[in-house]
Amino acid sequence: MNTRDQLICAWCGVVFVLMFFLGWGLLAGMLPPHAPTMTAEEVTAFYQANPVSIRVGLVIALLSSAFFVPFGAVIGVQMARIEGPFPVWTATMAMAIAGTVVEFALPTMFWQVASFRPDRDADTLLALNDLAWLPFVGISAPFFIVPICIALVGFKDRSANPIFPRWCCYYNLLSASAILPGCMAVLFKTGPLAWDGLLAWWLPVVDFGIWFFVMTILLHKGIKRQAAAAGSG
């Protein structure tokens, strides 16, 4: 059993979260999120104020998305152990992880394009900024299916010490539902469903961060239990 490799992959989820928010949130200054009501002049002023810091932060954010892949892979390995032959939900989850990585990478690249030439026409910068924020908040579908697949497989686990306990399965279903309001961001410029609103932004972001830490802890405990059982056997 490749315990060490699995544990490294499990830590990659935390690395992804910390790197992304360091680069995107702190260095690039995307937290708190831009208001959808910002004018073209306000958006231009943002990109012109600290262009180097924004670009460096976005490079770090883009690189961070690579760490999502091994994290998803180790979840898939554990799911496949439960499903056995023909692990259809594991395969579905793996494809959703790949889509989620693209969901993080593409908007980050659009922000990079906006920051690359901050002397552009203000309306062009506004359009690029919108092109980044709307898909970043609004594309809920890829990640939405990930916790659902985990829950569906976890409910099937009848072992004495399941790696995804029943409470974790219910939590994953709640986590999936918390992601959904973001898809409504294209309909609102103000209020809780705007891309900077309570339901479309803050609820999914907090839920997303907690989900990574919960899953990391469970994966570490489960992998170590399996290694101990294999050693004693």
Side-chain angles (χ1 to χ4, degrees):
M1 180 179 177
N2 55 342
T3 303
R4 180 174 174 272
D5 291 343
Q6 289 194 71
L7 290 173
I8 290 173
C9 289
W11 275 115
C12 284
V14 174
V15 173
F16 161 69
V17 171
L18 295 179
M19 273 187 68
F20 187 84
F21 282 99
L22 168 65
W24 176 85
L26 299 181
L27 290 178
M30 298 293 177
L31 276 179
H34 299 165
T37 55
M38 283 177 68
T39 65
E41 290 72 25
E42 289 172 329
V43 170
T44 300
F46 168 79
Y47 285 104
Q48 290 180 346
N50 296 291
V52 175
S53 178
I54 292 172
R55 293 170 198 161
V56 171
L58 292 174
V59 168
I60 294 172
L62 189 60
L63 290 173
S64 74
S65 61
F67 289 92
F68 204 157
V69 177
F71 184 70
V74 74
I75 293 176
V77 166
Q78 294 301 320
M79 289 174 61
R81 291 181 65 257
I82 300 169
E83 278 198 275
F86 311 108
V88 63
W89 293 119
T90 301
T92 302
M93 190 279 305
M95 288 187 285
I97 288 287
T100 304
V101 171
V102 174
E103 180 188 349
F104 274 89
L106 280 181
T108 302
M109 293 178 70
F110 291 138
W111 280 308
Q112 285 183 336
V113 172
S115 67
F116 186 64
R117 300 186 195 276
D119 55 346
R120 294 177 194 266
D121 173 77
D123 287 334
T124 302
L125 281 178
L126 179 63
L128 288 170
N129 196 58
D130 288 348
L131 189 60
W133 278 105
L134 279 173
F136 185 66
V137 177
I139 302 179
S140 303
F143 182 72
F144 168 72
I145 200 66
V146 171
I148 291 179
C149 291
I150 294 171
L152 291 174
V153 172
F155 282 131
K156 296 179 181 180
D157 192 349
R158 296 291 183 263
S159 62
N161 292 300
I163 192 164
F164 307 123
R166 189 158 293 267
W167 67 263
C168 173
C169 298
Y170 287 115
Y171 167 70
N172 269 273
L173 293 178
L174 288 173
S175 183
S177 65
I179 298 297
L180 284 178
C183 68
M184 304 296 290
V186 71
L187 300 175
F188 301 91
K189 291 186 175 69
T190 60
L193 290 173
W195 80 44
D196 64 340
L198 176 63
L199 296 180
W201 172 255
W202 292 107
L203 175 62
V205 164
V206 172
D207 169 68
F208 193 67
I210 293 173
W211 181 84
F212 269 94
F213 284 95
V214 168
M215 295 302 296
T216 297
I217 291 170
L218 291 177
L219 286 168
H220 270 261
K221 288 183 176 180
I223 292 166
K224 289 179 178 179
R225 276 201 312 269
Q226 291 160 15
S232 63

